[in-house]
């Protein structure tokens, strides 16, 4: 049973760390973009494009972490082996 | 320059579909339904998320107001919830191949990397 407890801890901590980093990254990107638009409103189109691309890149990291957490929780490839070992 | 940048986003949106098609065709080599389904569904999730983010950002920046910011925040959480629910269904219920899903989810990242390399050359 320890295996499943550690899986939950790993998924939870992984998601927390991933979200923390992604949140920081997106916050910094949007902060810089807003400052840029405030200084030069004429460049808002260019800034939107760059920010859009940056946000998509940063957010994909959080999505990867989420996928890994879901795999650990619901599609763990070692579950069968652990259950077999536990049954012995 | 503005037109060029707007065209860049349109170009990225079009190329997303092209990359997804190439990845799905490549996944057919495995002759496995879960792998192909994983790549296809992952790519669709990534592209829909990208388009959704782009539309909500453009709407907010076109009419900047307190109401627009609230609407963007609400839409952002709805989008994250929808993406999370879609991934949960794909992994836990449909049981698509996780590697295929990760490859499909990388469509936008591959596209941006490709565009960056192309522009820097």
């Amino acid at each position: 049973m320890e295996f499943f407890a550690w899986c939950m801890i790993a998924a939870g901590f992984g998601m927390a760390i991933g979200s923390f980093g992604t949140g920081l990254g997106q916050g910094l990107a949007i902060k810089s973009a807003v400052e840029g638009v405030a200084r030069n409103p004429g460049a808002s189109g260019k800034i939107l494009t760059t920010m859009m691309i940056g946000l998509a890149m940063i957010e994909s990291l959080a999505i990867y972490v989420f996928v890994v957490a879901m795999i650990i929780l619901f599609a763990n490839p070692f579950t069968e082996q652990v259950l077999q070992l536990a049954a012995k | 320059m503005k037109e060029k940048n707007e065209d860049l986003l349109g170009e990225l949106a079009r190329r997303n579909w092209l990359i997804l098609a190439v990845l799905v065709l490549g996944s057919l080599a495995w002759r496995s339904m879960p792998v192909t389904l994983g790549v296809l569904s992952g790519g669709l999730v990534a592209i829909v998320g990208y388009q959704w983010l782009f539309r909500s950002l453009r709407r907010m920046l076109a009419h900047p107001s307190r109401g627009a910011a609230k609407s963007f925040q609400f839409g952002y959480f709805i989008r994250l919830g929808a993406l999370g629910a879609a991934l949960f269904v794909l992994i836990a219920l449909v049981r698509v191949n996780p590697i295929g899903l990760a490859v499909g989810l990388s469509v936008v990242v591959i596209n941006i990397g490709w565009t960056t390399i192309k522009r820097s050359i």
Side-chain angles (χ1 to χ4, degrees), chain A residues 26 30 42 44-46 48-57 59-60 63-64 66-67 70-71 74-76, chain B residues 1 5 8-9 12 50 53-54 57 61 76 79 83-84 87-88 91-92 95 98 101-102 105-106 108-109 112:
Chain A
Q26 287 200 338
I30 293 175
S44 63
K46 197 176 173 183
L48 168 67
T49 305
T50 315
M51 182 173 73
M52 179 67 210
I53 292 171
L55 288 184
M57 284 290 274
E59 200 178 74
S60 63
I63 293 174
Y64 289 141
F66 183 73
V67 169
M70 287 286 116
I71 290 170
F74 299 108
N76 198 320
Chain B
M1 194 66 191
N5 278 307
L8 171 68
L9 287 177
L12 279 172
Y50 175 80
L53 177 65
F54 173 59
L57 262 179
L61 291 176
Y76 195 87
R79 191 174 67 90
L83 287 181
L87 289 174
F88 171 75
I91 293 170
R95 294 212 168 256
L101 184 69
L105 285 169
S106 307
V108 176
V109 177
I112 293 169

Side-chain angles (χ1 to χ4, degrees), chain B residues 86-104:
Chain B
L87 289 174
F88 171 75
V89 167
L90 287 171
I91 293 170
L93 304 180
V94 183
R95 294 212 168 256
V96 297
N97 184 281
I99 308 285
L101 184 69
V103 170

Side-chain angles (χ1 to χ4, degrees), chain B residues 40-52:
Chain B
L40 182 65
S41 53
L44 286 176
V45 166
I47 291 173
V48 168
Y50 175 80
Q51 294 285 355
W52 196 339

